[in-house]
Amino acid sequence: MLGGMQDFELRVPRLIDHAAREHGAREIVTCWADGHETRTTWRDVHRDARKLAQALEKMGVQPGDRVATLGMNHSHHLVAWYGAIGMGGVIHTINPRLFDEQLAYIANHAEDRVLFYDKAFQPIVDRLRSAWTTITHYVCFDDDGPGGFAAVVAGESGDYAWVEGPERAPVMLCYTSGTTGNPKGVLYEHRSTMIHAMAGVAPWLLSLSSEAVVLPVVPMFHAAAWGLPFAGALSGAKFVYAAVNDPAVLCRLMNEEKVTHSAGVPTVWLSMFQHIDATGDAPRYLRQVTIGGSAAPRSMIRRIMDMGATVKHLWGMTETSPIGTAGARPPHWEEMSLDEQLDHVSKQGQIPFGVELRVLDDAGIVQPRDGQSSGRLQIRGPWVIKRYFKAEADCIDADNWFDTGDVAVIHPDGSMQITDRAKDVIKSGGEWISSVDLENAACGCPGVAEAAAIGVAHPKWDERPLLLVVRKAGSAVTAADITAHLAGHVAKWWLPDEIIFVDDLPHTATGKLLKTALREQYKNHRLASA
Amino acid sequence: MLGGMQDFELRVPRLIDHAAREHGAREIVTCWADGHETRTTWRDVHRDARKLAQALEKMGVQPGDRVATLGMNHSHHLVAWYGAIGMGGVIHTINPRLFDEQLAYIANHAEDRVLFYDKAFQPIVDRLRSAWTTITHYVCFDDDGPGGFAAVVAGESGDYAWVEGPERAPVMLCYTSGTTGNPKGVLYEHRSTMIHAMAGVAPWLLSLSSEAVVLPVVPMFHAAAWGLPFAGALSGAKFVYAAVNDPAVLCRLMNEEKVTHSAGVPTVWLSMFQHIDATGDAPRYLRQVTIGGSAAPRSMIRRIMDMGATVKHLWGMTETSPIGTAGARPPHWEEMSLDEQLDHVSKQGQIPFGVELRVLDDAGIVQPRDGQSSGRLQIRGPWVIKRYFKAEADCIDADNWFDTGDVAVIHPDGSMQITDRAKDVIKSGGEWISSVDLENAACGCPGVAEAAAIGVAHPKWDERPLLLVVRKAGSAVTAADITAHLAGHVAKWWLPDEIIFVDDLPHTATGKLLKTALREQYKNHRLASA
């Protein structure tokens, strides 16, 4: 016996239909790379997406084909998402910060048919055009001449009905850039994206509504922009896009457009603080700041809270659409001291309806939620990956658990806290030392610009920590200084066996420490203690 | 080509699993009919629901079978919902305020197998037991002796895994009580209920989170309690239930438990205002008051806003799960005058993602959103009915539109405003006169206790309004007084052709004016103007 309710496929074009119908006049403001501003609306995006869908069909794109973008945040990019999806295509956002060989691999592996790109990335297109074997059409987003995005859209009528299909059909493709091997593609579905969007607007996650004015600093090429282009249409929020990440521009837009919600990585706020300190100008309307990508320092959280905004950590990954957890306020928030509030917000957040998390030790035993027992973090749920694009096997276990590669604890109140990446954790005498905690503690020592902690083989303890430190310009900080500082912040047995000063440290294309290179470099290093 | 994300059936037991796992200690407080209070938690409800599922299986209930309740709001009722649903059954909430013949019809039509009931409804059970032909087990919710609910639950281990099944399987059955014909059953599905719950927690609808403390005055037997038992588990809200609707009890609970969210029909607030005026005691922690069932008067909205709470109208019907619209704040709320805010909140609200609304005139032409063009209101969406239980045909048109039987306008900003019931509207000279507007205006005249406006046949105008008025005790208000009052509130051609004073007016079981009886009584009435 089935129930008596209506058929309704969870398809992404319903979002832009809704936004145009119920929030049609709500604006999408863009500050472009050259500084000029444009104002469009959800109704306009809906119309232009239909026109773009027609144009894509004329270019020979078929339902299921991938349509790529290489662009910053702007209204044309938003039109490209909904246009490609609306004609049954799969929008594929490419991260322009990747290395050329990754860029070449990704577009070919995805078999992209069309590439929309920003003028700023013309050099990338010029370098890689001959390497990209499947792209037949290149359209520049911010070229207003013939063949540019505006002209392509203007050439169509917009008299178009979205392509229908099953809700499990693919809708978007994002590649993860690991530090080893080729990037891997995550192929989102209409259904997973819709459930993620419906979950995402909730008060405990992005907390969006038609009252919200959102300036997403997170780029549209990063982990589906945390789902904001979808959740924003669902809620009818106003969007303010900046194609450049200059804190002066961001701060001006936040005040001119009365931005209430912002979302980005911590470094955005470091540069914003510098701007505030230098100019006295500060965002005045922010109510919620969502920080993801990596953990925000406690001092950053406090400063944003002092500005009157709620701060939320968002933890997730491309494989999780990407929302895994977010920092919701607990019921007793008002009775907490500032220190307790900061402790709470410093964690990665609570587990929202939809996903489940668990922590496993090395033996595969599920760990208790005691805030102490750390282990590999696993996740499952409707917006979590099952199989990488074109892979021949699933990447989950028989019960759907996906191993995140993070090391975490879960606290008794259900808050999750990342302590390290699994491959970076230092295993000493059967216990785990968090390389992240060591690095953060070391960076708090005056004179230290950057630090990397890696495990080095040790005959007795299996591994022991080696700390590589870049001094601040002009500093003469010593190993003894750093060790003395660390002793006040970490357990004694966590103290590095050796500290080596270096001129710089290697990084990935997205700015993270490239620890694989460091481990390779120091794999035969003999610690003085060994 | 399908996408790469996980399989995940949208099944209701996931809600209680989530609530127990992530918000396990959050409380469910009940003030029972005899005044004693109990405190339980989502974790307890989860455990007891599993025990009840086992007990239901022992009673011979099979997946798909209907399990009925005849109860007020309390934690046992909540356990009954999740227990019956968890073992694959269909929870069927019966409205104890219906007439005996309706109660007999409904339980037999539903083929209910088990009935859980409140001691307060023992007389109903005694009267109807012989008429109910399919119920094999009767369990009293608040009988703590052998065979009572607590004993039934205590007899099981709770070692139970929810029954799995398709997401389109039925989960809940609610009957609508029309003024004509037999009640009709609406059979909700796991999927429709889950999408409704995910939509329901959004800031623009119920706006729930684990910070919320909800006192749902809306009964669990009324239109799925507006989805609160589902949305509450999804969000981890604390619930405060009162099995009696005494304003003194409600007010005390609201303050003792720091209730932030309340939901109920307007009359709840009329009696609460009397309590406040009489005692000086008032709810102090309310942040959101959701009002549905019928429209709240402007003065009521203002008084609750003055108490510091956001007021939201919720419009919907059993056939729509029930949320159709809710009164979200527009982006420019802060810049609106109090009068403009009251105008906005007095309407039935905005159209949330998921459902679509349209207004059709008599010729079936879709009307513009101009706030003027009224017509029949139609709705479609994932939580809207397709076919009544056991009906032989769908109740929607080829494009899924369900006719609500309401007459409404949609304003340019997307707000919907109900103007009448379609069958009650008075059709005069090709134009429509709202019987509801006439009655509301008449009730504002000093000396008028209640009024009913109906259309009576007229040779020239097709129909003209007849107003039936019940005077307040001791009042000598005249027809001329009322006409003079009305002239200040409605168009001249809306003025009733005749006003007749009566001692009382007929009502339905749920307290609405029974206009079918009035139309029947006055169908041969010859208006003085005719």
Side-chain angles (χ1 to χ4, degrees):
Chain A
M1 179 176 70
L2 292 185
M5 309 307 282
Q6 297 194 355
D7 307 322
F8 182 98
E9 292 285 293
L10 290 168
R11 297 272 298 182
V12 168
R14 290 188 185 276
L15 296 176
I16 191 70
D17 286 346
H18 171 78
R21 201 168 50 230
E22 306 304 338
H23 308 282
R26 204 77 176 121
E27 287 179 312
I28 317 291
V29 179
T30 301
C31 178
W32 294 83
D34 65 4
H36 88 283
E37 285 179 28
T38 55
R39 309 182 84 84
T40 176
T41 63
W42 284 112
R43 193 178 290 124
D44 295 336
V45 171
H46 184 245
R47 179 201 61 216
D48 289 349
R50 281 176 286 141
K51 291 185 176 187
L52 189 67
Q54 292 175 301
L56 287 168
E57 289 188 351
K58 283 193 187 152
M59 294 178 199
V61 178
Q62 303 284 325
D65 283 356
R66 272 71 68 198
V67 173
T69 65
L70 197 63
M72 300 298 288
N73 292 355
H74 48 66
S75 60
H76 287 355
H77 202 163
L78 193 61
V79 168
W81 283 35
Y82 282 105
I85 291 169
M87 58 74 60
V90 175
I91 188 76
H92 171 208
T93 49
I94 302 179
N95 183 346
R97 296 176 190 156
L98 296 178
F99 300 114
D100 279 7
E101 63 196 277
Q102 293 173 313
L103 291 169
Y105 172 85
I106 284 175
N108 290 336
H109 185 264
E111 300 170 64
D112 292 326
R113 300 288 310 275
V114 175
L115 177 71
F116 296 102
Y117 65 96
D118 284 1
K119 211 181 285 176
F121 302 130
Q122 186 71 53
I124 296 178
V125 173
D126 292 342
R127 284 201 308 274
L128 287 163
R129 197 159 180 149
S130 62
W132 284 331
T133 56
T134 61
I135 300 174
T136 56
H137 291 77
Y138 291 82
V139 179
C140 181
F141 273 132
D142 43 357
D143 173 357
D144 291 335
F149 189 85
V152 165
V153 166
E156 306 297 331
S157 71
D159 181 13
Y160 185 83
W162 305 129
V163 169
E164 306 277 352
E167 62 186 33
R168 297 290 301 260
V171 72
M172 186 168 197
L173 179 63
C174 293
Y175 282 77
T176 61
S177 55
T179 46
T180 54
N182 280 320
K184 289 182 281 190
V186 182
L187 192 63
Y188 305 127
E189 303 168 356
H190 282 266
R191 177 177 162 110
S192 68
T193 300
M194 291 295 282
I195 295 176
H196 183 265
M198 292 186 74
V201 299
W204 52 90
L205 294 181
L206 300 169
S207 191
L208 295 179
S209 72
S210 65
E211 285 184 87
V213 181
V214 188
L215 196 162
V217 187
V218 53
M220 293 178 78
F221 56 75
H222 177 72
W226 302 354
L228 283 164
F230 303 120
L234 193 154
S235 59
K238 170 177 165 178
F239 270 54
V240 181
Y241 280 132
V244 287
N245 280 341
D246 176 347
V249 172
L250 295 179
C251 188
R252 178 178 59 76
L253 287 171
M254 285 179 177
N255 287 333
E256 285 179 1
E257 304 297 336
K258 298 188 178 173
V259 168
T260 58
H261 289 56
S262 182
V265 294
T267 50
V268 170
W269 285 97
L270 286 181
S271 55
M272 181 63 79
F273 292 161
Q274 287 169 357
H275 170 77
I276 295 171
D277 293 340
T279 65
D281 194 24
R284 294 194 301 275
Y285 301 93
L286 280 178
R287 290 204 313 262
Q288 174 167 314
V289 172
T290 305
I291 299 183
S294 55
R298 199 177 168 92
S299 58
M300 178 180 291
I301 293 169
R302 173 156 188 185
R303 184 159 181 184
I304 302 173
M305 280 171 62
D306 285 343
M307 291 165 64
T310 296
V311 182
K312 282 182 184 169
H313 261 145
L314 192 81
W315 170 84
M317 47 205 306
T318 303
E319 286 88 342
T320 65
S321 293
I323 301 176
T325 61
R329 289 185 171 189
H332 56 293
W333 173 263
E334 299 293 346
E335 288 116 59
M336 291 164 79
S337 69
L338 177 61
D339 255 0
E340 289 169 334
Q341 291 182 344
L342 288 170
D343 281 348
H344 184 84
V345 179
S346 294
K347 297 167 194 164
Q348 272 60 48
Q350 286 68 53
I351 304 168
F353 176 75
V355 298
E356 289 176 66
L357 293 183
R358 67 176 188 180
V359 164
L360 295 189
D361 70 6
D362 267 0
I365 307 296
V366 177
Q367 297 299 293
R369 293 182 167 202
D370 58 9
Q372 300 290 329
S373 304
S374 72
R376 296 180 73 94
L377 181 68
Q378 299 192 324
I379 187 169
R380 65 180 179 186
W383 57 79
V384 176
I385 192 168
K386 180 180 187 181
R387 180 181 291 208
Y388 288 104
F389 184 48
K390 293 185 177 176
E392 287 175 2
D394 291 347
C395 54
I396 54 175
D397 73 10
D399 295 318
N400 281 6
W401 291 106
F402 172 75
D403 196 295
T404 64
D406 279 326
V407 175
V409 296
I410 302 180
H411 291 268
D413 73 349
S415 299
M416 188 274 286
Q417 188 172 12
I418 299 286
T419 56
D420 211 342
R421 288 291 296 169
K423 62 184 185 307
D424 295 337
V425 83
I426 299 159
K427 297 184 180 177
S428 173
E431 300 284 345
W432 289 5
I433 296 171
S434 163
S435 65
V436 173
D437 286 354
L438 269 184
E439 290 156 7
N440 286 346
C443 286
C445 177
V448 172
E450 191 174 18
I454 58 170
V456 174
H458 188 283
K460 180 172 177 189
W461 301 109
D462 191 17
E463 284 186 351
R464 285 297 299 161
L466 166 67
L467 189 72
L468 303 161
V469 171
V470 180
R471 284 194 185 96
K472 279 187 181 162
S475 165
V477 65
T478 66
D481 296 337
I482 296 170
T483 303
H485 175 84
L486 288 177
H489 292 81
V490 301
K492 190 165 178 232
W493 65 275
W494 280 33
L495 291 175
D497 283 28
E498 194 172 340
I499 295 177
I500 298 178
F501 293 96
V502 294
D503 291 337
D504 48 43
L505 289 166
H507 295 90
T508 69
T510 53
K512 295 177 184 171
L513 280 171
L514 190 59
K515 294 209 187 161
T516 44
L518 290 173
R519 277 192 289 269
E520 180 62 24
Q521 188 179 346
Y522 290 94
K523 72 177 172 187
N524 296 320
H525 183 79
R526 189 179 164 83
L527 291 164
S529 60
Chain B
M1 179 177 70
L2 293 184
M5 309 307 281
Q6 298 194 356
D7 307 322
F8 182 99
E9 293 285 294
L10 290 168
R11 296 271 299 180
V12 169
R14 290 188 184 277
L15 296 176
I16 191 71
D17 286 345
H18 170 78
R21 202 168 50 229
E22 306 304 338
H23 307 282
R26 205 75 176 120
E27 287 180 312
I28 317 291
V29 179
T30 301
C31 178
W32 295 84
D34 65 5
H36 88 284
E37 284 180 28
T38 56
R39 309 182 85 82
T40 175
T41 63
W42 283 112
R43 193 178 291 124
D44 295 336
V45 171
H46 184 244
R47 179 202 61 217
D48 289 349
R50 281 176 286 140
K51 292 184 175 187
L52 189 67
Q54 292 175 302
L56 287 168
E57 289 188 352
K58 283 192 187 153
M59 293 178 200
V61 178
Q62 303 284 325
D65 283 355
R66 271 73 67 197
V67 173
T69 65
L70 197 63
M72 300 298 289
N73 292 356
H74 47 67
S75 59
H76 287 355
H77 203 162
L78 193 62
V79 168
W81 282 35
Y82 281 106
I85 291 170
M87 56 76 58
V90 175
I91 188 76
H92 170 208
T93 49
I94 303 179
N95 183 346
R97 295 177 189 157
L98 297 178
F99 301 115
D100 279 7
E101 62 197 276
Q102 293 173 315
L103 291 169
Y105 172 85
I106 284 175
N108 290 336
H109 186 263
E111 301 171 65
D112 292 327
R113 299 290 310 275
V114 176
L115 177 71
F116 296 103
Y117 65 96
D118 285 0
K119 212 180 285 175
F121 302 130
Q122 185 71 52
I124 296 178
V125 174
D126 292 342
R127 285 200 309 274
L128 288 163
R129 197 160 181 148
S130 61
W132 285 332
T133 57
T134 62
I135 300 174
T136 56
H137 291 76
Y138 291 82
V139 179
C140 181
F141 273 133
D142 42 357
D143 174 357
D144 291 335
F149 190 83
V152 165
V153 166
E156 306 297 332
S157 70
D159 181 14
Y160 185 83
W162 304 129
V163 169
E164 306 277 352
E167 61 185 34
R168 297 292 299 262
V171 72
M172 186 168 198
L173 180 63
C174 293
Y175 282 77
T176 61
S177 55
T179 47
T180 55
N182 280 319
K184 289 182 281 190
V186 182
L187 192 63
Y188 304 127
E189 303 169 356
H190 283 265
R191 178 179 162 108
S192 68
T193 301
M194 291 294 283
I195 295 176
H196 183 264
M198 293 186 73
V201 300
W204 51 89
L205 294 182
L206 301 170
S207 191
L208 295 179
S209 72
S210 65
E211 286 184 85
V213 181
V214 188
L215 197 161
V217 187
V218 53
M220 293 177 78
F221 56 75
H222 177 72
W226 302 355
L228 283 164
F230 303 121
L234 193 155
S235 59
K238 170 177 166 178
F239 270 53
V240 181
Y241 280 133
V244 287
N245 280 340
D246 175 347
V249 172
L250 295 179
C251 188
R252 178 177 59 76
L253 287 170
M254 284 179 178
N255 287 332
E256 284 179 2
E257 304 296 338
K258 298 187 178 172
V259 169
T260 57
H261 288 57
S262 182
V265 295
T267 51
V268 170
W269 285 97
L270 286 181
S271 55
M272 180 64 78
F273 292 161
Q274 288 168 358
H275 170 78
I276 295 171
D277 292 340
T279 65
D281 194 23
R284 294 194 302 274
Y285 301 93
L286 280 177
R287 290 205 313 262
Q288 175 167 313
V289 172
T290 305
I291 299 182
S294 54
R298 198 176 168 93
S299 58
M300 178 179 291
I301 293 169
R302 172 156 189 185
R303 184 157 180 185
I304 302 174
M305 280 171 60
D306 285 345
M307 290 165 63
T310 296
V311 182
K312 282 182 185 170
H313 261 145
L314 191 82
W315 169 83
M317 46 204 307
T318 302
E319 286 88 342
T320 65
S321 293
I323 300 176
T325 60
R329 290 185 170 188
H332 56 293
W333 174 263
E334 299 292 345
E335 287 115 59
M336 291 164 79
S337 68
L338 177 61
D339 256 0
E340 288 169 334
Q341 290 182 344
L342 288 170
D343 282 348
H344 184 84
V345 178
S346 295
K347 297 168 194 163
Q348 272 60 47
Q350 287 68 53
I351 303 168
F353 175 75
V355 298
E356 289 175 66
L357 294 183
R358 67 176 187 181
V359 164
L360 295 190
D361 70 6
D362 268 359
I365 307 296
V366 177
Q367 298 299 292
R369 293 184 167 201
D370 57 8
Q372 300 290 328
S373 304
S374 72
R376 298 180 72 94
L377 181 68
Q378 300 193 325
I379 187 170
R380 66 179 178 185
W383 56 79
V384 176
I385 192 168
K386 181 180 186 179
R387 179 182 293 207
Y388 289 103
F389 183 49
K390 294 186 176 176
E392 288 175 2
D394 292 346
C395 54
I396 54 175
D397 73 10
D399 295 320
N400 281 7
W401 291 106
F402 172 75
D403 196 296
T404 65
D406 279 325
V407 175
V409 296
I410 301 180
H411 291 267
D413 72 350
S415 299
M416 188 273 287
Q417 188 173 12
I418 299 286
T419 56
D420 210 342
R421 288 290 297 168
K423 62 185 185 306
D424 295 337
V425 83
I426 300 159
K427 298 182 180 179
S428 173
E431 300 283 346
W432 289 6
I433 296 171
S434 163
S435 66
V436 172
D437 285 354
L438 269 185
E439 290 156 8
N440 287 346
C443 286
C445 178
V448 172
E450 191 174 18
I454 57 170
V456 174
H458 189 284
K460 178 170 176 191
W461 302 108
D462 191 17
E463 282 186 353
R464 286 297 300 161
L466 166 67
L467 189 72
L468 304 162
V469 172
V470 180
R471 287 194 184 94
K472 280 188 181 162
S475 166
V477 65
T478 66
D481 295 338
I482 296 170
T483 302
H485 174 84
L486 289 176
H489 292 80
V490 301
K492 189 161 181 241
W493 64 275
W494 280 34
L495 291 176
D497 283 27
E498 193 171 341
I499 295 176
I500 298 178
F501 292 95
V502 294
D503 291 336
D504 48 42
L505 289 165
H507 295 91
T508 69
T510 52
K512 294 176 183 171
L513 280 171
L514 190 60
K515 295 209 185 161
T516 44
L518 291 173
R519 277 193 288 269
E520 179 62 25
Q521 187 180 346
Y522 291 94
K523 72 177 173 188
N524 297 320
H525 183 80
R526 189 179 164 84
L527 290 164
S529 60

